[in-house]
Structure formats: C-alpha cells, structure tokens
DNA sequence: TCCGTCATGTAAATGGTTACATGATTCG
DNA sequence: CGAATCATGTAACCATTTACATGACGGA
C-alpha cells in the first residue's frame, strides 16, 4: 500500500456516492463516516490535487465562483476497487484510558472510578447517536447502500454495549 | 497536555514498576501493555534523554558496559501522577475495515465476507492471547497491580467477544 | 452592513514508525 | 567462531492536525 493510500481511498469512496467540492466532501465524511473515519481539510485538498493529476478524479466548475466540483473518472473507480481490496492496515494500539487504569494503584481508586465512569458515559452517548443513525437509515427507502450502513452501525452498537458492560463490571470491582 | 506527553506518561509509568534500560522498557511495554499500547525505540530513547534533562528520571550504569539503567526520581513520580490525571486524549477514529464495509456495494459481497471473516479471526486470536494473560495473572500471587491488570484484560475480552458476535451477525446478513 | 457559511489552499508543528549504524555479550 | 540478543541512538520519512490567509455569497 503506497503513500497516503488511506486518504485516497476515503476520498475516492466518498466521491463514489456523488460529485462534491472539497468542502462538501469533508462534511460528508464527517456526517456519514464520522463514526469510524475522519479526514481534515489539510488532507483532503492535497489529496484532490494529487488525484486530479493522476486523472482519477475530474474537476468541473461549481455553482459558486472559485468552487470546484470533483467526480470519479472510470479510472478512479477502478483505483477505488483496487485500494479497497488491499487489506486494511492495523494501526498500533493506543488506549489512554486503559494505560491509566493499568497503573491504577499509582492513580488512586477514586480517579480510576472517574475514568471508567467517563468512559461509560461516552459509550452511552455513542449508543444514542447510533440509535438516531439506525432510525434514519431504516426509515429511508431501500438502496444498495443501506444494508452496509446498517452493518457499520451494528458494529458501533456491539462495541458500545460491550464498553458499557465492561464499565459496569469494572465499577463494581472498584467498589 | 504538552508535547509528547503520552509517550512521557507511558515511559514514566513503565519505570514505576522498576528501573530498566531503554531496551528493557520497550520489551516491558510490548509484553505488559501490548494489548492497548505501543512504543518504538525512536520514541523511547529521545523521551528518556528529555526526561533525564528534566530530572524526572535518574540514570545509573548498568551491568553491561554502555548500558544505562533508568529509574523514577520523586519528581518523576509526581509528574507521572500529574500526567495520569489529565483526561486521556481521544484519537480520531480510523477503522479501515468498516470504511471498506460501508462501501460494500463497490467492493462486492465476496470480498465483504472475507473482510468480516478475517476480522473475526483476529478477534478470536486476541481472545486466546487474553486467556493466556488472564491465566498467568491469576496464578501470580496477589499484588496491588493485579486487579488493574485483570481489568484491562477484561476490557479486551469484552471488546473481542463483541467483535465476534458482530462478525457472526454480519456474516449471516451477507449470506 | 455584518455575520455565518461555503470554499480553497498552505505552513508549521506534532507524533510516530522504520531503517540504519554501531558495538558488546552470551551461548551453543 | 558465529548467531542471537542486548543495547543505544539518529535520520529519514510519513501521516495528520491545527492554524492561518483569503475571499465570495446569502440573509438578518
């Protein structure tokens, strides 16, 4: 997997849903992929410039002066499938909450409880966001996209429920 | 939270378990924190140099010529507690597997099944490693460290079981 | 008119991995 | 003796965020 391939993948994938400006692209990633992906402007604009150079995306003038609407070219769609078939890179683990909890006897029991309580609250909030996302998705008419959206929502739900169950068990152990 | 604080935290925390060389420190992080944390030599050695400069760790000559054993100073222990009380930074989400699955109609059903199957296999393998870690920890004599080790192991178990349950559900949906 | 949003881009700083260079020690 | 391990450190590279600079448009 070559340079910056993950951002290229995300940008090409987002464009596969329809043409968009760089700005709208970032909105769409935040809105639809926000639960498991993120991109910043500092990544998106250089990526679009590069992808234009490789003729994987084409640029048209947008409604507003100075705005540029990008769309996938056939070569871009090929490249997208190619990138998607690459195994997803696994990033090294970095869980600040567990790092702190592991050294709980240095941190103290009260601070540990707070740590786990806050972690639980984040999982509960996530579960609420997921409930909204599920309701929205289920109320939309069926589409080729829908089952896959529901699968990623379900992944979040399983993960959040596990986090809550663990937090409850751990809070009980912490007394 | 200032510069490179997360690595400082991990290094100071690892040293709180006992003095160590940079090399041994990396081994210890990999061995004991590997399930939720990672550090590379390229981080550890500059961090040790910096922490020595701040007199948060002290350096003694080791058994081997040229080797340096580091230990926490009292100021280092204070700093450690201070860093641990900072809220753990939440890194932006980046889940390559879910990104690919979300665009499953571009990827194709067969490749989706493979993606989820591999994800399930990783979770099963993780669960096995966790079973070993749990058995090891439970067979050791009780210590102030042990309950916290078990809590982090339990976090991994909950997360891995949730990943397996989700994978089974999703594979059923994918047919 | 002024503010919020849409829009594009760059520069700097940050955080991190990987590869490399170097050499001693231990054990088979 | 030779290989694996212990040990330290640097340099290059990569990915990413944040802040900044700039400006047009639409509506209160």
């Amino acid at each position: 997997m070559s340079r910056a391939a993950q951002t290229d993948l995300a940008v090409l994938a987002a464009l596969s849903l329809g043409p968009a400006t760089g700005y709208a692209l970032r909105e769409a990633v935040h809105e639809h992929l926000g639960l498991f992906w993120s991109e910043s402007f500092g990544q998106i604009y250089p990526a679009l410039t590069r992808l234009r150079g490789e003729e994987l995306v084409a640029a048209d003038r947008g409604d507003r002066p100075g705005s540029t609407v990008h769309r996938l070219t056939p070569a871009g769609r090929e490249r997208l499938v190619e990138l998607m078939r690459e195994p997803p890179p696994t990033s090294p683990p970095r869980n600040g909450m567990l790092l702190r909890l592991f050294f709980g006897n240095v941190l103290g029991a009260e601070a540990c409880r707070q740590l786990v309580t806050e972690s639980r609250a984040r999982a509960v909030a996530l579960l609420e966001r997921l409930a909204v996302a599920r309701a929205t998705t289920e109320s939309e008419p069926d589409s080729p996209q829908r089952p896959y959206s529901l699968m990623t929502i379900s992944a979040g739900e399983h993960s959040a429920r596990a986090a809550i169950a663990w937090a409850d068990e751990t809070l009980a152990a912490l007394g």
Side-chain angles (χ1 to χ4, degrees), chain A:
Chain A
M1 194 77 120
S2 61
R3 193 175 162 282
Q6 295 309 298
T7 291
D8 285 7
L9 170 53
V11 167
L12 292 173
L15 283 178
S16 81
L17 301 178
T21 63
Y23 186 90
L25 215 46
R26 211 238 126 166
E27 295 281 278
V29 169
H30 193 77
E31 172 78 12
H32 300 296
L33 317 179
L35 294 167
F36 51 85
W37 202 263
S38 76
E39 293 292 344
S40 61
F41 288 129
Q43 294 268 103
I44 285 178
Y45 284 111
L48 283 173
T49 305
R50 190 173 55 248
L51 293 168
R52 265 196 318 258
E54 296 174 39
E55 298 188 4
L56 301 174
V57 310
D60 307 300
R61 259 175 278 110
D63 291 345
R64 290 162 169 260
S67 82
T68 311
V69 175
H70 294 87
R71 62 187 154 78
L72 273 191
T73 65
R77 187 165 287 269
E78 271 175 51
R79 178 88 180 113
L80 169 58
V81 175
E82 197 183 307
L83 286 173
M84 293 229 290
R85 301 223 186 253
E86 299 272 343
T90 54
S91 48
R94 228 107 203 282
N95 185 323
M97 192 269 290
L98 288 184
L99 177 66
R100 282 161 177 80
L101 189 61
F102 186 88
F103 294 98
N105 50 344
V106 177
L107 184 56
E110 179 49 38
C112 286
R113 274 190 292 272
Q114 196 191 328
L115 211 53
V116 178
T117 302
E118 279 163 11
S119 169
R120 188 188 193 282
R122 275 191 301 276
V124 169
L126 176 58
L127 214 45
E128 276 164 26
R129 282 176 60 202
L130 286 162
V132 174
R134 172 176 287 282
T136 306
T137 306
E138 281 176 347
S139 72
E140 282 165 5
D142 201 6
S143 78
Q145 180 54 55
R146 200 170 73 160
Y148 296 105
S149 295
L150 290 174
M151 286 173 198
T152 61
I153 289 170
S154 179
E157 288 166 344
H158 273 92
S159 160
R161 283 196 298 262
I164 293 169
W166 171 79
D168 288 337
E169 173 198 301
T170 301
L171 284 171
L174 284 168

